[in-house]
Amino acid sequence: MPPTRAELEAAAGLTLDDVLGPSLDVLFCGINPGLYSAATGHHFARPGNRFWPALYRSGFTPRLLAPAEQWELPSYGLGITNVVARATAQAAELSPEEFREGGVRLAELVEKVRPKVLAVAGVTAYRTAFGRPKAAVGPQETGIGDTAVWVLPNPSGLNAHWTLDRMAAEMRRLRESLT
């Protein structure tokens, strides 16, 4: 059952636990949790978000996982975190300072967890968090320590510039770069 309006309103400001495991190939990074995700406790949970279908179509997972199955990701060498931990109704509610602070926290997490690739889902969030105003979707020239960085399109259903097929193709390109 989807969260009620009151549950969504109460989710503002909540955080989600990172999905981490040993020997991660890719640590996917959202912008920040939406209220639906915070209310359910699952990353990329809002109906219409294309993260899970793109992950499956790209070949990262052998079947389409539901957001409630996020804890299976480490068994595939995958994890999830966010640039900014605080849940909001829209990413536009976040300040540039929150993004910059999130970039510092994210770099510290990457240094600790040491995934092969950090994949940030949202080019504008990446640009702001890491001070890279000209960054584009795809592999980045600068990594974090030994971790490569790849920017993916934001999988939100509001990102009409990217179809599910194009998102899955970009994720597939990332997956194929790992071999």
Side-chain angles (χ1 to χ4, degrees):
M1 178 179 295
T4 65
R5 181 178 178 91
E7 289 169 329
L8 291 174
E9 289 172 2
L14 295 180
T15 62
L16 291 178
D17 290 336
D18 293 335
V19 177
L20 302 172
S23 304
L24 293 180
D25 290 323
V26 181
L27 178 58
F28 290 98
C29 181
I31 297 169
N32 77 307
L35 298 182
Y36 198 101
S37 287
T40 63
H42 305 116
H43 294 270
F44 302 107
R46 186 172 195 66
N49 189 295
R50 297 166 293 175
F51 175 79
W52 298 100
L55 195 68
Y56 168 64
R57 288 186 184 190
S58 69
F60 270 114
T61 59
R63 66 179 179 82
L64 177 60
L65 297 176
E69 297 174 295
Q70 68 187 15
W71 301 109
E72 291 184 30
L73 288 177
S75 70
Y76 302 116
L78 308 173
I80 303 179
T81 189
N82 287 289
V83 176
V84 177
R86 179 174 72 92
T88 60
Q90 299 176 33
E93 296 174 37
L94 302 171
S95 71
E97 182 62 26
E98 284 179 286
F99 279 109
R100 287 188 291 275
E101 289 171 2
V104 170
R105 183 202 65 82
L106 188 55
E108 291 170 354
L109 178 64
V110 165
E111 289 287 347
K112 177 182 171 189
V113 177
R114 302 175 60 91
K116 290 180 185 170
V117 178
L118 171 68
V120 180
V123 69
T124 302
Y126 175 77
R127 288 173 180 162
T128 305
F130 291 96
R132 305 255 194 284
K134 296 184 188 285
V137 169
Q140 303 303 298
E141 292 181 14
T142 305
I144 300 172
D146 293 334
T147 298
V149 176
W150 197 292
V151 175
L152 295 169
N154 179 350
S156 167
L158 299 175
N159 183 6
H161 297 289
W162 284 82
T163 65
L164 175 56
D165 287 340
R166 285 183 62 213
M167 283 183 192
E170 189 61 27
M171 277 191 183
R172 185 177 312 106
R173 197 164 77 99
L174 165 58
R175 183 181 57 79
E176 291 171 351
S177 77
L178 295 170
T179 58

